[in-house]
Amino acid sequence: MKHILAVLVENKPGALTRVSGLFSRRGFNIENIAVGETLTPGISRMTITVEGSETLIEQVMKQLHKLINVIRVSNLSAEPSVMRELMLIKVRAEVGNRSDIQQIVETFRGKVVDVSPNSMVIEITGNEEKMEAINLLLEHYGILEIVRTGKVALLRGSKITKEA
Amino acid sequence: MKKKLTKGSVMILSALHKEGVEIVFGFPGGAVLPLYDQLYDDPIKHLLVRHEQAAVHAADGYARVTGKPGVVFATSGPGATNLVTGIANAYMDSVPLVIITGQVPKSFIGTDAFQEADITGITIPVTKHNYLVKNIEELPEILSEAFYIASSGRRGPVLIDVPKDIFDQEAYFDYNCQCDIPGYKPTYKGHVGQVSRAVKAIRDARKPVIFGGGGLIRSEASAALCDLAETAQIPVILSLMGLGAYPGDKPLFLGMPGMHGSVTANYALTEADLIIATGVRFDDRVTGKIESFAKNAKIIHIDIDPAEIGKNVAIDIPIVGDVKLVLEELVRKLRPGDTADWLKQIYTWQEKYPMPLGACSDDKGLKPQFVIRELSRLSGKNTIVATDVGQHQMWSAQHFIVREPCTFLTSGGLGTMGYGFPAAIGAKLAAPDKKVICISGDGSFQMNIQELATAVHNDIDLTIAIINNKYLGMVRQWQDIFYDKRYSYTSMEGSPDFVRVAEAYGAKGLRAANNKEATDAIEQALNTKGPVLIDFIVAPEENVYPMVAPNHPINDIIIGGDQE
């Protein structure tokens, strides 16, 4: 099963290396990782997607917690949470099929953020299924390049992932 | 009060004074020159080794004996990379160390400058934490954090990499030994509910065993362990790292478990209905085939490191906390127990399966087991043993009677050949009143043989016992058993005459090839001041038994060899 971990880390040099290094050296499979600042200066939040059994995830969380720069680790998959990812897709778009593409993008509530004589760049936000679905549809026109941010997630409701 | 600006090198030595550091182990070089210059006039002692690896091992030996962090200085580049094995060794065995390395000046970092190595990058996986000092203002906090992290929670090595220019820069120096690190809050007190569950489990158990490890020694839990064992009449099994936490000559002690453990310890773990695991990490050398390990037992696991609980073996009652505090809590809540039937069973095993004393016939040469037993008998109490890695290490664990904590120093996790001799030097500096014996092999000793110079120059009073079988004995044993006696590159043919090597360095060298010579040499060595090396020429093909083949159940034992 896939688990989404929210990891609050002190924004110190090497913190990201310590976290990512831990995954490779302990043989944990990291699916994706997204990092950004939080409301508190000096503290960053990593959202890490890991595939594995309950026992493995428990071990991953404990090992992460052992890192001195890691302040808190929580498993967002254990509770209701919202998860999003942003993707930019560059798709081949000739004059004849632009409006078709435009329609697909609107259906998925995406945005066209760049147009050139024979291509378009589309911005799309959502969960994994949505990303896969639009990719499948756009493949027909020819996808030139994609880039994804990795997943970010928050707990639903007013509960927050606190630092202490 | 007007604050005074302080130089980086002065800050480091002031921090060492405030932390009660008496000795530094190290080796100077270009990038660390300003620090060594400051050390020149400082009352803190410095042991100059002949290879940086030995500095870490010596600091490690010192730390294991005193319980205080061992401190190491080394230079950048090769000086720092030479430390890595020693650091990894200390990390695996949870030994507190603070290592300070010089680095190329800040403006040169990342340019592949002369003697530059990314030592913080290299040591992330083998340190509890590490730092690269980027500006002088953060140095005081880093120093106090390093000592705090190394010596609290699950102990471990911490490295601080200091660019050369930082040593000479100045800032205000406020040193506070009390640190508050948001991501580091070790749990010391055991959870009350879990402790109660453990008490109940111990009361209900009919065949309980205590299985203790290095955590008992680091948390100074020996007295609590003895109380628990004796109050509830529970036999004690100690891992290699735990030897000494319970007196090796008491009737409730069953020896070491696992690959070369006693038959009784392995049978007891297999038959037990309750295992009280304290400060252990269920290493593969202990558990054997994990699926068959302790199938009949409920397991209580007490450890300061939550990540150890449930890592290798499923645990019924986990208790995160300081082993000593938790054991004391258990003792307070326990009533005297009666395990007479279980102990009767155990003593039957002990009688039936004593430690084998060697299979090779007497004409094949001196038996290594005899040498270890004589070392144990003649040195008596008040002795510290440091071993290297291999057959002699296992024979030492089996036959040397370890009575007190912090007196059996060995590379348990990493299995570092070359650890023993420098660790023995560190141990002697930590405990000048104790006899110190380094038990080594002809293979292991050559991995840090250069430290004879350190020992002689500093007049370190210790005995070096080389169990010389002219092989990398443990590897040869595996080739013997699992590779059809194809002794691929395990012969140590070409080794020097160790007696003459010792003499060349200015130490005393003795040789023993039979029982009488062995006894005489040990007596002479123990009564001689300064470093004495004894080259014990032992039967070359003696194997360590009992033995559990890797990934076999621990009750599937090759008993092997003649018995006592």
Side-chain angles (χ1 to χ4, degrees), chain B residues 314-325:
Chain B
I315 300 302
D316 301 279
I317 307 177
I319 306 178
V320 176
D322 176 73
V323 167
K324 179 185 172 188
L325 295 180

Side-chain angles (χ1 to χ4, degrees), chain B residues 12-28:
Chain B
I12 292 171
L13 292 179
S14 306
L16 263 50
H17 282 287
K18 287 185 195 275
E19 297 287 349
V21 175
E22 288 162 356
I23 185 167
V24 169
F25 301 85
F27 198 95

Side-chain angles (χ1 to χ4, degrees), chain B residues 453-500:
Chain B
T454 310
V456 170
H457 180 67
N458 294 281
D459 200 21
I460 308 286
D461 184 17
L462 49 72
T463 300
I464 304 152
I466 299 181
I467 307 299
N468 185 350
N469 56 10
K470 301 187 170 59
Y471 279 110
L472 297 176
M474 188 57 94
V475 187
R476 186 207 52 74
Q477 174 168 344
W478 282 50
Q479 290 172 333
D480 177 0
I481 300 172
F482 306 115
Y483 293 88
D484 201 20
K485 284 188 191 282
R486 288 159 52 83
Y487 295 164
S488 181
Y489 301 101
T490 40
S491 164
M492 286 279 102
E493 229 27 83
S495 294
D497 177 331
F498 291 111
V499 173
R500 286 172 64 198

Side-chain angles (χ1 to χ4, degrees), chain B residues 26-50:
Chain B
F27 198 95
V32 78
L33 268 168
L35 182 60
Y36 269 86
D37 186 59
Q38 202 62 48
L39 188 64
Y40 197 54
D41 302 319
D42 198 281
I44 290 181
K45 282 180 282 184
H46 177 273
L47 184 83
L48 177 65
V49 294
R50 294 297 184 272

Side-chain angles (χ1 to χ4, degrees), chain B residues 41-69:
Chain B
D41 302 319
D42 198 281
I44 290 181
K45 282 180 282 184
H46 177 273
L47 184 83
L48 177 65
V49 294
R50 294 297 184 272
H51 184 291
E52 287 88 351
Q53 183 190 347
V56 194
H57 290 328
D60 171 312
Y62 181 90
R64 290 190 205 215
V65 171
T66 58
K68 295 195 299 189

Side-chain angles (χ1 to χ4, degrees), chain A residues 10 12-14 17-18 21 25-26 55 58-59 62-63 65-72 163, chain B residues 91 124-125 127-131 134 145 149 154 181-184 305-311:
Chain A
E10 278 185 291
K12 296 256 170 104
T17 316
R18 289 175 205 279
R25 108 176 145 261
R26 297 232 173 230
T55 342
E58 188 187 324
Q59 186 57 211
K62 284 172 166 179
Q63 291 295 348
H65 209 267
K66 260 174 87 164
L67 297 174
I68 306 289
N69 293 144
V70 170
I71 297 168
R72 197 187 156 101
E163 282 132 39
Chain B
Y91 183 65
I124 283 178
T127 48
K128 190 169 168 188
H129 196 53
N130 64 18
Y131 301 88
K134 291 276 185 61
E145 281 189 9
I149 290 171
R154 179 175 180 176
I181 306 167
Y184 181 68
D305 181 357
E308 286 306 340
I309 294 176
K311 186 179 80 177

